[in-house]
Every structure is written in C-alpha cells, then in structure tokens.
Amino acid sequence: VSILNFVLQTTMSAGACSDKAKAVAQLKGMLKEDENVPWGTDITLRRFLKARDYDLEAAYKMYTNCLKWRKDNDIDHILDKEPEKLATYNKLISSKNHGFDKHGRPIYYERVGTIHYPTVLEYLTVDDLIHIHIWQMEKNARLCLDSAEKLKKDVHQSVSIVDLAGLSMSHRHGLAFIQKCAKIDEQYYPETMGKLYIVNAPRLFPFFWGICKKWVHPNTQKKIQVLSTGYEKVLRENIPAHFLASEYGGKCTCGQFDSEGKKKPDSKQNQFCIPCLDLTEMKEQLKYKDDEYDSMSHMSLPVRAGTMEDVIVEGIDKSGSYFSWNFKTLAKNIEFSISCIPKSGVKLTEVKCQSRVEGEIDASKFQAEFKKGKEFKILEATKLDHHKGTFRVPFDCDLRFTFDNSYSWMTAKSIRYKLTATCLER
C-alpha cells in the first residue's frame, strides 16, 4: 500500500509540475514583444501565476502592470546607488540583512518594536520610507539570485524576523506607511516572502494585527508565524546557528566587532548582531522641532497661478480613521477646503465622536451627509495662509484637501503641508 501511495503521489506531483510548466509557457506566449524582458524569467512568471491561482488572464494583467511600474520608476536600476536618506533611516530604524536559512533564503531582521514613528516622520517622509522599502525588496531579490547561483537551485523567496519588543500606540503613526508597503508587496513582489517570524509580540499586537491583516493576502498570512516564549528553538530549527543572530539564539558573533574588525567594549546590547539604536540624539536634533508647520517630513506643493491642486489622503481602516493636517503658504494666502469621501457600502451608525483637541472638526455634525454616501465638505473654502486640524470619524472614508489658487491669475503659491491618517484609538 505504501508503495502504491508513493507511486500515486509521485505521479500527481509530476502532473502538477507539468501543468505549471504549461501555464508558464502559455503566459510567455501572451506577452507582446516589449513585454519580453530579461527580468521576466520563468521563475518570475511562475510567481505571478501562483499569486493569481494560475488564472492566465489575471496573471498577465498583474505581470504587465508590474512591468509598467518597474519601467516608470526605473526599478531595474534602483540598486545602482543607495537611497539618499538611507543614512538617516539607519539612525532611526534597526534593520539588517543577516545570513541565510537552511533553504538558502536570505534573512532580513527588523526591530519594529523600537521604531518611534513620530520621530521617524520628522526626518523622513512616507515617500522616503517607501523608496527605501522598494530598495530593500530589490536587495533581497539580488541576494536570492546570488544564493541560487551558489547553491545551483531556485531561490526566489526571503525570510524576515520581526521583533515587536517595545510595540506601543505610537506605532499607529506608521500605519499609512505599512499599508502602502503591503500594497506594493502584493502587487509587485508576489510570492517573494518565504516566511515571516514575529517574536516578542506584546499584548498590543492583536490590536495592530486586526488592522494590518486586511492588507495582507490570505496566502501570505499563512506564511506568518507568531512565536511565543522559547522562539529561539524554532529559529534554530530553520536557520543554521552560524547565520542566526546571537541575540535570537544563534552563534553568530559579528556584533562583537566594529567595521574595522576591532572588539567592541563589553556590553550585551553593544554586541548584538542587529544593532539597538538610541534615538535620544535624533530626538534632540530635530531641525524643526519648534515649528509645527514646517518639519522635515512636510511635503512641498507648488500651485501655479490660476490653478488648483487636490491631495487625497486615504482612510486607514474600515472601522474609521483619525486624520490630521497642517499647512502653511510660503507667501500670501490660498483658498483651502476639505471634503469627506465616504466609501461605498459603508454601514452607518450614529456618530459619537466628540471634539477632544483644539482645531478638531466634530464628525457628529455630519450625520445627514454621511447617510447620503456622497462626497461632502467638512471645511468650506476659505482663504488662509496656514491651518491645522483633525477629524476623527468611525467610518471608512478618505479626505480630499483642496488648495485652490484659481482666483490668483498672477501669483503662484508654494505650500508646505503634512497630511496624515492613522487608526482610531480604542
């Protein structure tokens, strides 16, 4: 019986491999001449097919959309130079590529729990963070290729170890960035995550996971493993001891030496393979810490004479979002307004959001507008040279910020703005 089962399983496996190879060939046959690029190897095409359950039309659409994105953003050359803000990023966020697991997959560590997003977002914009994230994804892909060449086998996935020690409610300020990363990974890097180990998850973790899991594909969720006390044993079972960082149960000693190979002073944290960062100096050196209308994380927006510009901020969660904003013009005023865009299919209940901070727009005043389900103004157009405020709403919606300079036919305006959305505190 065991021999018969073995034969049946082998036959079925061979048949499945044959079907997958056929699907790759069919997808290749659908590609136009300009869509046949060196990046699109058989392994890459198989990733997109698997992400769409081998639906040829869906995989073709996903793949060609990715090709366009890569071309529009020159992704093929992103590793030619380090991101401009990488040095600043490394002073704020503890992360590192470190070794390979037993399958030859590169490992990426990040101490997410120690990230203080309010400080990070004073130095870096979300666009800066997104650029570095894409650069890191391409770096992981390059390490996969290097490992595949060395081991003479297919390696197209990486492994991540995320340490949540220190996770707090301040991490909600990073949700907009995390949401954008999840969307990028899903659309343009399908099937590149082999495993994600989460260690030191505190009691607050289910709250954040309840929000973030909706951005993660169900197939990807299956690759996420939350490890409790004693996680070192699981990591050692999957990662060679000499590659596993010493502070996570491994035997790697790279953290004991500096860049010149000299022994570091005896200190447990000072000898970690994945550095522990002290943000005290970064917090003290905030260039604009006394100017809430012009921090390093503020964006610039030129508005030409006789024109208007819209900036839409997407809501974070179906159960609601907390929006905040501030802006100033560098010269003269501009007509500023805010509109709320309810999402379709929103189940409305009574709004009981009481104003709690100065400048907050009370959502409970817009009960009738919410029920109509159409875009409506929460702040009527007014000529201003600066403004700040918040909007706390327990429904799924976006906000449209309009900077209208159409009344000024001679003078262009320069805006410095910071618009954010995060989850509601519960």
Side-chain angles (χ1 to χ4, degrees), residues 288-356:
Y288 301 104
K289 63 181 180 180
D290 295 323
D291 188 348
E292 63 185 318
Y293 291 102
D294 195 3
S295 72
M296 284 178 277
S297 61
H298 274 63
M299 305 286 285
S300 294
L301 178 68
V303 186
R304 292 180 290 113
T307 67
M308 60 186 293
E309 296 287 344
D310 284 340
V311 180
I312 294 179
V313 177
E314 296 182 355
I316 286 292
D317 191 34
K318 290 183 179 179
S319 60
S321 299
Y322 179 61
F323 298 91
S324 63
W325 61 88
N326 65 54
F327 85 92
K328 73 174 182 179
T329 61
L330 300 185
K332 305 198 175 184
N333 56 25
I334 197 162
E335 199 167 83
F336 177 66
S337 63
I338 308 174
S339 300
C340 179
I341 312 172
K343 298 288 182 66
S344 59
V346 173
K347 184 178 180 181
L348 299 178
T349 55
E350 184 181 357
V351 183
K352 296 181 179 179
C353 290
Q354 300 299 321
S355 180
R356 287 187 280 178

Side-chain angles (χ1 to χ4, degrees), residues 5 31 62 92 109 209 211 241 282 288 294 305 344 354 362:
N5 285 336
L31 299 177
M62 184 186 192
L92 294 162
Y109 293 77
W209 179 236
I211 295 172
M282 297 299 285
Y288 301 104
D294 195 3
S344 59
Q354 300 299 321
D362 187 355

Side-chain angles (χ1 to χ4, degrees), residues 210-229:
I211 295 172
C212 297
K213 69 185 294 185
K214 290 171 282 191
W215 309 331
V216 181
H217 193 281
N219 290 340
T220 304
Q221 291 184 30
K222 295 175 184 177
K223 301 175 184 178
I224 298 174
Q225 186 174 359
V226 182
L227 301 176
S228 56
T229 304

Side-chain angles (χ1 to χ4, degrees), residues 89-117:
Y89 177 91
N90 288 335
K91 292 179 180 179
L92 294 162
I93 295 177
S94 176
S95 62
K96 187 179 181 181
N97 283 103
H98 186 280
F100 299 83
D101 77 347
K102 291 183 178 180
H103 299 287
R105 300 177 296 190
I107 305 171
Y108 173 77
Y109 293 77
E110 186 168 310
R111 296 185 187 276
V112 172
T114 63
I115 298 173
H116 188 250
Y117 277 106

Side-chain angles (χ1 to χ4, degrees), residues 118-309:
T119 300
V120 171
L121 292 171
E122 289 294 333
Y123 283 94
L124 302 168
T125 66
V126 171
D127 286 347
D128 291 331
L129 293 170
I130 290 295
H131 179 73
I132 293 172
H133 174 73
I134 295 170
W135 178 83
Q136 182 63 56
M137 294 297 289
E138 291 295 314
K139 183 179 179 182
N140 288 348
R142 179 72 60 82
L143 290 170
C144 284
L145 284 175
D146 293 344
S147 182
E149 289 180 7
K150 182 178 180 180
L151 300 176
K152 307 299 181 185
K153 70 173 188 176
D154 171 24
V155 179
H156 64 269
Q157 294 181 324
S158 61
V159 173
S160 295
I161 297 176
V162 171
D163 188 342
L164 294 184
L167 186 73
S168 70
M169 282 305 296
S170 71
H171 282 74
R172 71 186 188 277
H173 296 287
L175 286 173
F177 162 61
I178 295 169
Q179 183 182 36
K180 290 178 184 293
C181 286
K183 187 175 181 179
I184 288 170
D185 295 353
E186 160 67 17
Q187 291 180 335
Y188 308 128
Y189 296 95
E191 297 298 323
T192 57
M193 189 181 85
K195 192 73 176 181
L196 170 60
Y197 298 105
I198 295 177
V199 301
N200 296 319
R203 292 182 180 180
L204 196 57
F205 170 69
F207 165 73
F208 282 106
W209 179 236
I211 295 172
C212 297
K213 69 185 294 185
K214 290 171 282 191
W215 309 331
V216 181
H217 193 281
N219 290 340
T220 304
Q221 291 184 30
K222 295 175 184 177
K223 301 175 184 178
I224 298 174
Q225 186 174 359
V226 182
L227 301 176
S228 56
T229 304
Y231 62 80
E232 296 90 347
K233 181 176 182 294
V234 176
L235 295 180
R236 283 194 293 265
E237 289 173 353
N238 293 279
I239 301 170
H242 66 282
F243 278 142
L244 181 60
S246 59
E247 61 266 35
Y248 295 105
K251 295 183 178 180
C252 179
T253 59
C254 71
Q256 297 179 17
F257 304 91
D258 62 22
S259 58
E260 297 178 354
K262 297 179 181 179
K263 185 86 172 179
K264 293 180 181 178
D266 289 337
S267 168
K268 186 176 180 181
Q269 287 195 357
N270 192 43
Q271 296 185 358
F272 282 166
C273 297
I274 316 303
C276 285
L277 303 178
D278 183 354
L279 299 183
T280 303
E281 184 177 350
M282 297 299 285
K283 290 179 180 180
E284 288 297 320
Q285 291 183 355
L286 285 177
K287 182 178 178 182
Y288 301 104
K289 63 181 180 180
D290 295 323
D291 188 348
E292 63 185 318
Y293 291 102
D294 195 3
S295 72
M296 284 178 277
S297 61
H298 274 63
M299 305 286 285
S300 294
L301 178 68
V303 186
R304 292 180 290 113
T307 67
M308 60 186 293
E309 296 287 344

Side-chain angles (χ1 to χ4, degrees), residues 66-81 131 134-135 138 189:
C66 181
L67 284 183
K68 183 178 185 306
W69 173 77
R70 293 184 69 87
K71 182 178 179 181
D72 291 346
N73 295 279
D74 198 24
I75 302 299
D76 287 346
H77 298 102
I78 197 171
L79 292 180
D80 290 352
K81 62 178 182 179
H131 179 73
I134 295 170
W135 178 83
E138 291 295 314
Y189 296 95

